[in-house]
Amino acid sequence: MSDEKIPIPLQDVEKEAVRLQSVGHAPDKVLQHANDADEAMKAFVGHEGEILVLDEATSKRLLRTIDWHLMPLLCIIYGLNFLDKTTLSYASIMGLQADLKLTGSDYSWLGSLFYFGYIAWEYPTNRLLQRLPLAKYSSFCIIMWGLVLACFAGVSNYSGAIAIRFFLGVFEAAVTPGFAFFTSQWYTKKEQGTRTGIWFSFNGFAQIFGGCIAYGIAKGTAAHGSAIAPWKIVFLFTGVLTMCIGIIFLFVMPDNQLNARWLSKDDRRLAIERVRINQQGIGNKHFKMYQLKEALTDPLTWAFVFYALVADIPNGGITNFFSQLIVSFGYTSEQSLLYGAPGGVVEIVTLIGCGYLGDRYGNRILIASLGTITATVGMILICALPLTNNGGRLAGYYLYQASATGFVALLSLIATNVAGYTKKTTVAALYLIGYCVGNIIGPQTFRPADAPHYTPAVITIIVCLCAAFSDLIFIWWYCRQQNKKKAAIRADPGYSTVPGQEWLDLTDKENPEFIYTL
């Protein structure tokens, strides 16, 4: 049963603890918390003493198999996750505001309400991601968010729209942390940055796809008419598509290596062996209070949260107002649907490029910070160029799309640099709560009185991006310092490890063998 603690290696741990008292020492915390091992131990039941040989060719073969079965679904669904959030922006210039009789700041609050639902359910959904089968709970949330989104087509007033946006946030809250956990489970540290960058980059593909679909619907209904409002067609299309992909996800995505139908029994064990180097296993379903306390007192946790907050104030505003912002550059509403699409290309290139280079050179944080600098330059162009320079200001908007690199780098580092499953789910929840708060604040910086140019909001975005850049530098420095401290512990002549230490669900701080990725 998944609720049972995994006792297989514990006799060895206890024997080793007695031995170490006479010949060396393992850190006290390692011995203290070595009584509730990771799910990965189940793969080795009945194979004690057997040596697994994982050569480079086998590892590459497994990686190709894993990529082929996991990455397409992760990419498509994460693209839909972004598309479903931005449908509101498309709908805002397709008649939604008039049909729902939105006035004053109603639209801004409609953008923010999604994140109230998200923030309310973020920690509970992270606990459920830990406690329940990961893929099955994730698929339930995907199907439900598609259903809720499709229901938006039936909304006829502001109150109904508020309810839909709130529950959309509730069900989408599981997607980003869940995908980070999948990445942590299946990929080595050196592979995680690239894979996170790839599936997150489908935000950009969704921006291109969504803009084209919305443009096509707007043009088609204008020419031929429609039985329902054009903006309702957008919600129906994206909602039904999401439900269909969610059903496929339910039947294809495994909860972990142990129940991957597309791997043989031997390959399942080898797939787990591949990630032994991560020093964090594939999951533990038990809540551990000491890991919660460590997460809440770890400076790295709050540095992550601060980044998510200040980096997503810009995101919250731009996501909901980008169509209206482009209109303010001097383009028509229909043109804004198309002209937003190239921004998706910038996001795709920068996310995949920074993810690959970060893993290639072992420095995700500093390379990702280049995207933050690029985005800041873009917003300065929007703010500083004359209002008549429409092309230059639009180019600034495109440069801003590089801003996601820092957020994605830190999201990948939650998979890579946070160990202990209770701690990992807690940090992921806090990170995304910071993301929610930023996205709640963001739309409120775009005040109706500042339309159509929204200069105060643009200045706010520039200040937030500068703060985010400073935080990235702090995180890089802090991780570097922690690695030096761990190296000093490992250099102690009396230092020893215990058998299977990498599978003991230890936290990153208590395990001296754990090395932070920069």
Side-chain angles (χ1 to χ4, degrees), residues 38-45 52 54 59 62 66 184-188 255-260 263-283 502-503:
D38 188 86
E39 289 282 300
M41 282 295 187
K42 291 181 179 180
F44 302 101
V45 174
L52 282 178
L54 184 63
S59 183
L62 283 172
I66 293 166
S184 174
Q185 265 183 356
W186 287 90
Y187 294 101
T188 66
D255 298 307
N256 55 42
Q257 291 91 328
L258 298 173
N259 68 348
L263 288 177
S264 67
K265 288 184 178 180
D266 287 342
D267 278 353
R268 290 175 191 175
R269 292 170 55 224
L270 289 172
I272 292 174
E273 184 67 25
R274 279 189 77 249
V275 298
R276 181 187 292 268
I277 193 173
N278 292 351
Q279 293 285 326
Q280 53 181 294
I282 63 172
E502 59 272 22
W503 304 132

Side-chain angles (χ1 to χ4, degrees), residues 92-94 215 218 323 326-327 331-338:
S92 70
I93 57 173
M94 297 174 70
Y215 179 79
S323 293
I326 294 174
V327 169
Y331 301 100
T332 68
S333 295
E334 289 181 352
Q335 286 174 327
S336 75
L337 295 173
L338 282 182

Side-chain angles (χ1 to χ4, degrees), residues 294-325:
E294 181 177 308
L296 295 177
T297 56
D298 189 343
L300 196 58
T301 300
W302 298 109
F304 280 10
V305 173
F306 177 77
Y307 182 89
L309 172 64
V310 297
D312 282 295
I313 290 174
N315 181 70
I318 294 294
T319 298
N320 289 285
F321 283 88
F322 72 87
S323 293
Q324 297 176 48
L325 191 64

Side-chain angles (χ1 to χ4, degrees), residues 249-474:
F249 190 92
L250 174 64
F251 290 102
V252 174
M253 185 66 72
D255 298 307
N256 55 42
Q257 291 91 328
L258 298 173
N259 68 348
R261 291 191 293 269
W262 34 268
L263 288 177
S264 67
K265 288 184 178 180
D266 287 342
D267 278 353
R268 290 175 191 175
R269 292 170 55 224
L270 289 172
I272 292 174
E273 184 67 25
R274 279 189 77 249
V275 298
R276 181 187 292 268
I277 193 173
N278 292 351
Q279 293 285 326
Q280 53 181 294
I282 63 172
N284 183 294
K285 295 187 179 300
H286 306 120
F287 176 79
K288 300 181 180 181
M289 180 57 73
Y290 88 91
Q291 292 192 8
L292 172 65
K293 292 178 179 177
E294 181 177 308
L296 295 177
T297 56
D298 189 343
L300 196 58
T301 300
W302 298 109
F304 280 10
V305 173
F306 177 77
Y307 182 89
L309 172 64
V310 297
D312 282 295
I313 290 174
N315 181 70
I318 294 294
T319 298
N320 289 285
F321 283 88
F322 72 87
S323 293
Q324 297 176 48
L325 191 64
I326 294 174
V327 169
S328 78
F329 297 160
Y331 301 100
T332 68
S333 295
E334 289 181 352
Q335 286 174 327
S336 75
L337 295 173
L338 282 182
Y339 289 174
V345 177
V346 176
E347 185 170 1
I348 293 165
V349 172
T350 54
L351 285 177
I352 295 178
C354 286
Y356 171 76
L357 293 173
D359 282 348
R360 174 71 175 80
Y361 295 104
N363 211 324
R364 290 184 212 168
I365 301 172
L366 293 185
I367 290 175
S369 69
L370 297 176
T372 306
I373 294 171
T374 303
T376 306
V377 171
M379 295 311 296
I380 290 172
L381 289 177
I382 292 175
C383 186
L385 287 177
L387 299 180
T388 55
N389 192 340
N390 296 330
R393 300 179 79 217
L394 184 61
Y397 167 76
Y398 293 151
L399 290 177
Y400 168 77
Q401 299 304 310
S403 64
T405 56
F407 182 86
V408 175
L410 294 193
L411 181 63
S412 73
L413 288 177
I414 290 175
T416 304
N417 280 357
V418 182
Y421 221 65
T422 297
K423 182 178 181 182
K424 186 187 292 288
T425 55
T426 302
V427 175
L430 290 171
Y431 185 64
L432 290 166
I433 286 171
Y435 158 83
C436 289
V437 174
N439 277 284
I440 289 170
I441 295 171
Q444 307 310 315
T445 65
F446 283 76
R447 299 175 300 181
D450 300 325
H453 304 298
Y454 301 108
T455 301
V458 173
I459 294 172
T460 301
I461 290 173
I462 293 171
V463 172
C464 287
L465 290 173
C466 290
F469 175 79
S470 300
D471 192 46
L472 285 175
I473 300 304
F474 168 78

Side-chain angles (χ1 to χ4, degrees), residues 83-99:
L83 177 62
D84 292 352
K85 286 199 287 283
T86 56
T87 46
L88 184 66
S89 181
Y90 300 133
S92 70
I93 57 173
M94 297 174 70
L96 176 141
Q97 298 196 61
D99 289 353

Side-chain angles (χ1 to χ4, degrees), residues 64-97:
R64 286 193 298 270
T65 302
I66 293 166
D67 277 342
W68 175 249
H69 286 87
L70 264 61
M71 290 303 294
L73 274 177
L74 295 180
C75 290
I76 292 170
I77 290 174
Y78 207 79
L80 289 172
N81 175 62
F82 182 78
L83 177 62
D84 292 352
K85 286 199 287 283
T86 56
T87 46
L88 184 66
S89 181
Y90 300 133
S92 70
I93 57 173
M94 297 174 70
L96 176 141
Q97 298 196 61

